[in-house]
Structure formats: structure tokens, C-alpha cells
Amino acid sequence: MRGPPLFSPVSDVQWAQLSHFLAKPSHQPHRKADRKGGRPPLSDRSCFDAALWLVITGCGWRKLPREIGSRQAVSTRLNIWTKGPRMTWLWQAYFSTLSEDQAQALACVARPQRRSPPWTWPLILILRAHFRPEPLNYFEEQY
């Protein structure tokens, strides 16, 4: 029996197709006096990679690798994206970049759980619609 597929971040080609669904970054102030301080903002690509990592591995927020980003920053950004149709657009665009084998592997690991976060719902619906078996026609003879 095979284990879950290994996580691989979004490629440059895939990100080129996904990035136009996101707003352009706001202007960064050049003078230190104009900055509010704190951590620099997490990139949109890192946030999407984190969402993909969480879906593929099935692990919780606490196991999110530090290289991807802060779990609070990722959670905040994903909740912002979920408020409109943006997350659905991102998942649809990502799904369209996958091969049939990659999509099948993603469908095997992306399962709805009892407490699935709302940003995973569009992906689960897209996968169900794509891999739904054909309905049986009971009026045809089965010989």
C-alpha cells in the first residue's frame, strides 16, 4: 500500500496561472518612520503552499513547517481569501494545472473531515465534481 504523496510547493508555471487571482501587493513605505513595525508580510505564494501542505499531509496547524510561514499569518490570509470567491478561483486554477494522475492523488488525500476549515471546502467540491462516477441508468438492460 502506498503512502500519501509527498508535498511539493507550487511550481513557477503554476504560480504564474494562480497569481493573477490575487490583488497586487500594496506599496511598501521606504522610510522607516512610515512603517508600523512587526514581521514583514507573508507572500501569497507561501500562504497557498501552506494551504496545499495542510491539505496533502492532513496534519494540524501546529506541524506547519516554519519555512512556509507563521501559522497565524497563514490562517489570517486564508480566512481573508475565503470571504469572497477568491479561494474557489485559486483551487480551480490550481486543479486545472494538474495532470490526471496528480489530480487523482490529490483526491485520495483531500478528504472532508469533521472540522475541516472553510478554505478546504471549494477544493473538496471541485474534486468530487471531477471524479464523481457516472450515474447508473436503471432503465437500460444490463446484459
Side-chain angles (χ1 to χ4, degrees):
M1 184 170 172
R2 292 175 37 200
L6 297 175
F7 166 73
S8 61
V10 177
S11 69
D12 292 336
V13 174
Q14 289 173 323
W15 186 248
Q17 294 181 4
L18 297 174
S19 63
H20 66 86
F21 289 109
L22 301 169
K24 302 292 180 214
S26 62
H27 174 69
Q28 296 285 335
H30 297 287
R31 296 183 335 166
K32 189 170 184 176
D34 295 337
R35 296 184 191 158
K36 293 182 182 178
R39 212 180 268 187
L42 194 60
S43 72
D44 290 336
R45 186 172 182 167
S46 294
C47 289
F48 191 79
D49 281 343
L52 198 57
W53 185 89
L54 289 164
V55 166
I56 289 174
T57 62
C59 293
W61 286 101
R62 291 180 186 258
K63 295 192 178 183
L64 186 68
R66 290 186 189 265
E67 302 86 43
I68 293 180
S70 158
R71 66 181 185 225
Q72 291 87 1
V74 171
S75 175
T76 301
R77 183 80 53 88
L78 292 176
N79 287 332
I80 290 170
W81 288 352
T82 304
K83 289 182 181 171
R86 187 177 296 154
M87 201 68 203
T88 304
W89 296 339
L90 286 170
W91 284 128
Q92 286 174 340
Y94 176 72
F95 184 75
S96 69
T97 65
L98 299 177
S99 68
E100 190 67 24
D101 292 338
Q102 291 171 326
Q104 185 69 41
L106 184 61
C108 289
V109 295
R111 300 276 185 222
Q113 298 173 1
R114 192 178 66 164
R115 299 183 71 196
S116 294
W119 53 265
T120 61
W121 301 341
L123 174 65
I124 293 167
L125 292 175
I126 291 166
L127 291 171
R128 280 187 181 173
H130 183 74
F131 292 108
R132 178 179 39 211
E134 292 293 320
L136 294 174
N137 187 353
Y138 292 105
F139 298 108
E140 293 181 7
E141 294 181 355
Q142 304 277 331
Y143 291 108

